[in-house]
Amino acid sequence: MIHHHPDNRTLTEHAAGTLALAPSICVTLHLNVCDQCRRAHRQLQDLGSALFERQAEASVPDRLLETVLARIDEEQAPLSHRPPPAAQGSPHLVQRLIQGDFKDLDWRHIGSSVQVCHLRTGDRENEFALYHIRAGGSIPHHTHRGNELTLVLEGGFSDEEGHYRAGDFIQRDASHRHSPTATLDRDCICVGVLDAPVRFTDWRFRPVNPFLRLQAR
Ligand SMILES: [Zn+2]
């Protein structure tokens, strides 16, 4: 059962197509598993289309239309020929990004129980990463210099504000300080999207704050 959803603004931006790529992927992962948000999203898109239809018509030169249609064809072709990789059980969208299995990724340690792997989405403004928190392990206490979106893929975690399970979508910003801790029964894998580096408040990690850079690519 999913209890945590994107806020209205995020959902509206996604429906309007104005959300950046990395956060969009995060929202799409949630929409794939949340009927409630999918319904709301459809209504927002219908509303957008209705508003769009009321706009005055503008003529589009034939050449421009042909260029756009050709570009859509180009973009679809490589995806449909790509064989599905073998990250068993993970959503298709994540499988396409990781191009293999979780264990083959270039994981880096943050402390003893957390590993992070930054993935390339093509979004140069937002970092898109997978976090693997060992059962019972924690991400060190931190706050944010911008926005953080989290989507739970497997397992679950808690922080100062709640408990989260697979499919839950969590939004945090500079007003939050937290230390996500995985449940004791199994490891937790999450997607995390950042538009600015976190700021560690845990004294053991504070010295690295000035060196943290967004790994957006
Ligand atoms: Zn939802």
Side-chain angles (χ1 to χ4, degrees), residues 5-6 30 34 37:
H5 309 270
H30 177 79
C34 181
C37 285

Side-chain angles (χ1 to χ4, degrees), residues 108 118-119 123 126-128 211-217:
R108 284 150 205 240
H118 297 105
L119 297 179
D123 184 340
N126 294 276
E127 174 181 301
F128 187 99
F211 304 100
L212 293 176
R213 297 282 179 274
L214 209 59
Q215 306 286 319
R217 54 207 171 109

